[in-house]
Amino acid sequence: MRLQSDFIFDALKNRNYQQILIPKRSGDVRKLHAPGEELKLVQEVILQFLYRWKVDARQFGFVLGGSPIRNAKYHIRNEFYVPHWVLKLDLENAFPSVTSTVLRKEYTRVFNPETFKELSGIDEKQFTAFIQLMLDLTTYRERLPQGSPCSPYLLNLVLVWTGVTKGVLEYCEKKGLRASLYGDDFTISAKTSNMWFSKTFFRKINSAVSRSGCLRLNHDKTHLICSRNSAPIITGVKITESHDNGAKLTLTQSTLNHWRGVIHRVTEILYWNNRLPRLEQDGVTFNQALGYVNWIEDVYRESEVPLSVRKPIKSFKVQSSRFDRRRG
């Protein structure tokens, strides 16, 4: 999709964001800043542009084809392997930690006219104006806003561009560990405990993250879990061990309950309001519910979908189909 320059500058002139408070399952509140309709459309086009730059294959959040299920599957090395030790690391305030200063440095390097052909031939003044335009369109109050369509993938790219992804994941691989990244959450797994746990290990991880110049680990959310007598849980997905059938994926009840609530809410809006839900108004989106439905069906065959979500999924599909026919 191409946008006229007048539309882009109108979006810049009316660059407004609405704060949305989303309750977390933990009881806390997540603050989102949703852009206005014009700016949102421009950011969706920027997202398609940013997809030209690939992230690491071990990053499973906010990427095309990525999901919590794929993230969990990555930690099953073979059909009979279940990781009994799981280390979970969280980046503290990841989105607002990515400042305009950090992005300006990375944009200037990545979009360099000498290597980025689309900008070849422009002079220094035009290049500076382009970088400033990208910053104005992708930041809010000098920071990466959580709520923009392009922010999650931009966070992924910043983790790659600044060397955090490579530094953490490759160090873990060298130690014989499986490591992946889902958004701002690292998951590191092992079969036994003697494969890690040293001051040097955690110092190396901290060092790799701090090299970004803007990100750091949230030590309050660092959790080491031993699940010798229970199923390990990775991004809401349980990995159960069966001596007959090997490793099997299921979803935790809390994950199913949360996803069912979103699916039900979206279905109600389609039925009663005859419109797509809006994040800033409803706290949910159609694509969010559709993603949850697809992920549930990815984990379970149709006959095995838990009863608690079977009916909500069926109703969602019926109302989605009716809405499409009315719109068509």
Side-chain angles (χ1 to χ4, degrees):
M1 179 188 293
R2 289 181 177 272
L3 296 177
Q4 297 295 326
S5 58
D6 288 348
F7 186 91
I8 295 174
F9 287 112
D10 281 344
L12 271 176
K13 188 167 58 177
N14 304 310
R15 193 166 53 125
N16 60 311
Y17 287 81
Q18 180 180 345
Q19 180 173 282
I20 303 169
L21 302 179
I22 305 291
K24 294 183 180 181
R25 281 180 283 175
S26 63
D28 294 335
V29 174
R30 176 178 286 110
K31 290 183 181 180
L32 302 182
H33 292 92
E37 288 301 318
E38 288 182 340
L39 182 57
K40 180 181 177 183
L41 181 58
V42 173
Q43 290 174 345
E44 287 172 347
V45 174
I46 290 175
L47 176 61
Q48 298 305 313
F49 168 69
L50 292 172
Y51 280 149
R52 298 185 185 191
W53 286 269
K54 303 302 181 184
V55 298
D56 193 280
R58 295 160 292 185
Q59 287 178 271
F60 297 103
F62 316 119
V63 297
L64 297 174
S67 72
I69 291 88
R70 282 195 61 206
N71 186 47
K73 283 181 178 178
Y74 178 72
H75 292 267
I76 304 174
R77 303 193 188 201
N78 59 62
E79 61 177 321
F80 293 103
Y81 179 94
V82 174
H84 290 295
W85 291 84
V86 176
L87 177 65
K88 298 179 180 180
L89 304 172
D90 177 82
L91 296 175
E92 185 173 7
N93 297 321
F95 286 92
S97 293
V98 179
T99 63
S100 294
T101 301
V102 173
L103 283 174
R104 184 184 298 277
K105 176 183 176 182
E106 295 306 322
Y107 284 167
T108 301
R109 181 181 62 81
V110 174
F111 302 142
N112 189 319
E114 294 183 6
T115 55
F116 186 53
K117 294 180 180 179
E118 281 83 345
L119 294 179
S120 61
I122 70 171
D123 59 32
E124 184 177 345
K125 185 177 180 180
Q126 290 171 320
F127 180 65
T128 301
F130 169 76
I131 296 299
Q132 188 59 52
L133 179 63
M134 283 291 293
L135 288 171
D136 290 341
L137 291 170
T138 57
T139 62
Y140 173 60
R141 295 179 178 174
E142 305 288 308
R143 298 181 183 277
L144 196 62
Q146 191 170 6
S148 159
C150 57
S151 287
Y153 196 72
L154 252 179
L155 176 61
N156 277 338
L157 288 175
V158 168
L159 288 165
V160 172
W161 291 342
T162 59
V164 173
T165 301
K166 183 177 181 180
V168 173
L169 302 189
E170 290 194 359
Y171 173 70
C172 291
E173 297 286 346
K174 288 177 182 177
K175 300 288 287 184
L177 307 168
R178 271 287 163 104
S180 65
L181 186 57
Y182 191 88
D184 56 1
D185 295 316
F186 287 97
T187 300
I188 304 169
S189 68
K191 188 77 171 178
T192 61
S193 63
N194 59 4
M195 298 176 72
W196 46 9
F197 309 142
S198 67
K199 291 182 179 179
T200 301
F201 174 81
F202 286 102
R203 189 167 59 247
K204 288 279 189 180
I205 299 297
N206 270 308
S207 176
V209 173
S210 63
R211 276 201 298 269
S212 65
C214 61
L215 298 167
R216 63 180 182 179
L217 292 176
N218 185 346
H219 296 292
D220 291 336
K221 291 187 177 180
T222 297
H223 300 293
L224 177 63
I225 301 162
C226 173
S227 54
R228 287 187 179 278
N229 300 315
S230 60
I233 299 173
I234 296 174
T235 48
V237 182
K238 287 196 295 186
I239 305 174
T240 57
E241 190 170 16
S242 167
H243 295 295
D244 298 328
N245 301 317
K248 179 181 178 182
L249 299 182
T250 59
L251 295 172
T252 64
Q253 192 58 51
S254 61
T255 297
L256 282 171
N257 290 343
H258 175 63
W259 291 4
R260 180 184 60 197
V262 172
I263 294 166
H264 178 70
R265 174 72 176 137
V266 170
T267 303
E268 281 191 323
I269 293 170
L270 291 173
Y271 180 76
W272 292 107
N273 299 13
N274 191 29
R275 63 169 174 82
L276 292 175
R278 293 185 285 271
L279 180 64
E280 59 273 18
Q281 180 176 338
D282 308 300
V284 294
T285 66
F286 177 83
N287 285 339
Q288 183 184 8
L290 180 61
Y292 291 164
V293 169
N294 290 337
W295 294 345
I296 291 169
E297 293 181 338
D298 186 23
V299 172
Y300 304 95
R301 287 189 290 273
E302 188 173 341
S303 61
E304 296 177 344
V305 171
L307 286 172
S308 63
V309 292
R310 200 175 297 174
K311 185 175 180 180
I313 287 175
K314 183 178 179 180
S315 298
F316 171 80
K317 290 181 176 180
V318 169
Q319 294 307 322
S320 298
S321 179
R322 286 177 179 171
F323 181 78
D324 285 341
R325 288 199 299 271
R326 288 195 296 264
R327 221 173 25 165

